[in-house]
Amino acid sequence: FPVAPGTEDEDKNTQLVENYLRNFYKFEPEKQSPFKNKNTNPLTEKLKEMQTFFGLKVTGKPDVETLEVMKMSRCGVPDVGQ
Amino acid sequence: YRLTEGNPKWERKDLTYRIVNYTPDMNPADVDKAIQNAFKVWSDVAPLTFKRIYDGTADIMMSFEIGDHRDNSPFDGPNGLLAHAFQPGNNIGGDVHFDEAEFWTKGSKGYNLFFVAAHELGHSLGLSHSDDPGALMYPTYSYIEPNEFRLPQDDINGIQAIYGQSDGPIKPTGPTTPVTCDPKLTFDAVATLRGELLFFKDRYFWRKHSQIPEVELNFISLLWPNLPSGIQAAYENVEKDHVFLFKENKYWVLNGYELVYNHPKSIYDLGFPKNVKRINASYSDENSGKTYFFVGDKYWRYDENRQAMDQGYPRKIIKDFPGIGKNVDAVFQHDRYIYFFIGNRQYQFDPNVKRVVSVMKSNSWFNC
């Protein structure tokens, strides 16, 4: 089947967001407990943390501004913890 | 500022560093200078000394590395990750690695080694990333003219929280990031640009669109690496789709967001006498094609069609703009009003009745 337009970009963005949060915000999806409250999405929570840090609108979604910041050149040291 | 988790710090104040290798992008002497200046940023404000050694193991080992360099933090090729550093400690502790896949420079092209080194050394000394967008320890890269660089106050507070104040008799202070809703906020210049408002202050500018409630604070260098900080006056010529930006006796021209010329022009080409050293504020009336330049307590009028100053100027500001004294910080025209900024106040002036009709806070456009 042909790939629907935009799907490739969306996949790239999802990958970007996950890698970014993994590198700089201790996002570890594989370590999430299956018994955790299903109402809170760990990725959304980490995105909110990142958006708060950068003074962005806190939406918990990878909106245009958030993706722009994630694409900026930066220091490789995590923003939280070590 | 934020300290590294667990508050690691060096117990000694006399530290050593070694430049292990060089990037082929730069002259080795320029690398040495950039690194030396980066250390000086911190030794100027904290009781720390850094001595360069050429052999053996230094406290802070600085090297250019590529891809996976076996420290569990691989680099990713051009752009993205630029460098990283390790918190104070033995062995790899304190070490700084630069991604060799980047193009390193001493200027504004590529990535400026001095800034990146100074930022990474902040980590080597125990600082984590700051959420102050003006701080050196903010995680994203932005360029500032190295000669204009002064360590921001946020970083000074951070390093002094770890090591105390510097031993020198003068206690250094640094610039602070402007706060959008600060009631004492003042501006250097204001201009319209294709329906947006640009408010300039130090090395920052705010973008505001009348239809969008949010306001955006950016570094001037983010959009225009060749522009200086501290723009003193600005105006838009809607007809030509140009924005003119002034600092001291020079001006730059934007077409949309692009710089029209790489080099600034002289204000004397516009017809100012040599005793005018800078322009405080300016706006252009798109209906009449006249541009107004405010200098001290006088103003000049420039005819955009004839491209010459009008005769009979300068005139006293107070004579033709009653209620507006001297030293206008910024001015722009919007709809039928002229908005003058003086200190933390903004005067809405109606040119038809020639009087101030309203006085507001300078940042009233920011929906604070």
Side-chain angles (χ1 to χ4, degrees), chain A residues 32 34 37-39 48 50 60-61 63 66 73-74:
Chain A
Q32 299 304 319
N37 183 356
K38 297 286 184 205
N39 292 329
K48 285 182 178 171
M50 178 260 175
K61 291 175 186 156
D63 46 44
T66 304
S73 297
R74 54 161 293 155

Side-chain angles (χ1 to χ4, degrees), chain B residues 78-121:
Chain B
N79 305 312
L81 305 180
L82 305 181
H84 55 226
F86 295 84
Q87 65 183 56
N90 295 327
N91 303 316
I92 205 168
D95 291 359
V96 177
H97 298 160
F98 302 101
D99 186 354
E100 183 48 77
E102 312 301 344
F103 182 60
W104 297 103
T105 69
K106 59 175 182 175
S108 61
K109 285 182 186 163
Y111 295 104
N112 183 286
L113 183 62
F114 160 71
F115 289 125
V116 177
H119 173 102
E120 296 306 331
L121 287 174

